[in-house]
Amino acid sequence: AQTVTQSQPEMSVQEAETVTLSCTYDTSESDYYLFWYKQPPSRQMILVIRQEAYKQQNATENRFSVNFQKAAKSFSLKISDSQLGDAAMYFCAYHTGNQFYFGTGTSLTVIP
Amino acid sequence: ETGVTQSPTHLIKTRGQQVTLRCSSQSGHNTVSWYQQALGQGPQFIFQYYREEENGRGNFPPRFSGLQFPNYSSELNVNALELDDSALYLCASSLDLALGETQYFGPGTRLLVL
């Protein structure tokens, strides 16, 4: 069975500091994508970053980067220079074939 | 460019009733996916529609059904509502069916079953 695990229900970070959110997944597939989505209190889910499984290079989008360890099935999100607007629920997600799996989320608080 | 919209925003039903939720996909998108998000949980994949055909389905019973129309808008129908169906229902559209295609989410419909 394919599952996505986020072991940190809540995290906090001081404004301008760096925080890392953890995600592990379980799969027997070789071809898949991994995503981090952000869901602010207004509820609309927004894509933060995505990673193709066949690419060894870690994806980066401005202040957001991932540490993709395929053998360990780990996909963590690093947020640098945290801003107040980064406060939200963050979901790790996995896509293979015609199936999508999301983790249970990490609630990130940014402290001014 | 119009984003993904969903209607209604909130809905209250009683156990045993039927409900229809609607989703308009982003302009140019031919693929729509539906998710159920219970309070405090991550979204659970219900099914996906591509060009009016169901393309994939999660672990949901047959009383969850859907439709996609020629304009690629979509409906989610739930029959014989149960208390556990209370959740936020999210619709997401994507440009195509390709693996890894970015999904654009709507604001969701909050369903409460009493």
Side-chain angles (χ1 to χ4, degrees):
Chain A
Q2 285 120 340
T3 58
V4 178
T5 302
Q6 293 180 249
S7 59
Q8 306 154 316
E10 297 178 346
M11 291 283 284
S12 62
V13 61
Q14 207 76 32
E15 195 176 2
E17 296 296 309
T18 296
V19 65
T20 298
L21 308 184
S22 301
C23 173
T24 58
Y25 59 96
D26 184 28
T27 184
S28 55
E29 301 289 335
S30 58
D31 193 15
Y32 54 88
Y33 274 73
L34 296 162
F35 304 83
W36 278 97
Y37 281 93
K38 170 185 177 181
Q39 188 176 39
S42 65
R43 302 181 312 191
Q44 201 140 0
M45 198 92 69
I46 305 165
L47 177 67
V48 174
I49 198 166
R50 68 175 178 176
Q51 173 82 41
E52 298 100 313
Y54 64 86
K55 283 192 176 179
Q56 291 188 338
Q57 187 175 3
N58 290 323
T60 300
E61 287 287 341
N62 301 313
R63 298 183 295 107
F64 298 87
S65 61
V66 299
N67 183 5
F68 174 46
Q69 301 289 328
K70 190 172 183 179
K73 296 179 183 175
S74 170
F75 183 62
S76 60
L77 174 70
K78 185 171 83 171
I79 306 174
S80 304
D81 185 25
S82 296
Q83 299 175 0
L84 295 178
D86 295 334
M89 281 292 289
Y90 285 81
F91 292 98
C92 178
Y94 163 93
H95 176 200
T96 189
N98 55 11
Q99 294 293 320
F100 300 85
Y101 301 90
F102 280 74
T104 51
T106 296
S107 178
L108 179 66
T109 300
V110 181
I111 304 165
Chain B
E1 184 179 86
T2 307
V4 179
T5 60
Q6 293 186 242
S7 63
T9 56
H10 295 82
L11 202 52
I12 300 175
K13 291 285 188 178
T14 56
R15 199 169 44 181
Q17 284 189 311
Q18 177 266 342
V19 68
T20 297
L21 311 182
R22 294 178 175 82
C23 170
S24 290
S25 58
Q26 188 160 315
S27 177
H29 289 190
N30 59 25
T31 304
V32 172
S33 301
W34 285 92
Y35 296 86
Q36 180 194 67
Q37 186 177 17
L39 200 60
Q41 299 296 315
Q44 298 289 313
F45 175 63
I46 302 175
F47 43 54
Q48 180 183 69
Y49 277 83
Y50 170 68
R51 294 184 180 271
E52 302 178 60
E53 296 286 331
E54 186 179 295
N55 177 64
R57 190 179 184 92
N59 189 26
F60 280 81
R63 61 189 184 84
F64 286 78
S65 63
L67 280 174
Q68 188 179 31
F69 299 99
N71 66 355
Y72 303 132
S73 66
S74 178
E75 285 182 356
L76 164 66
N77 299 290
V78 187
N79 294 321
L81 283 167
E82 300 176 0
L83 298 179
D84 284 350
D85 295 334
S86 295
L88 180 68
Y89 287 84
L90 297 170
C91 164
S93 75
S94 52
L95 190 61
D96 213 323
L97 197 58
L99 184 65
E101 195 68 45
T102 298
Q103 293 191 81
Y104 296 84
F105 284 81
T109 294
R110 176 74 65 187
L111 173 65
L112 178 61
V113 182
L114 301 175

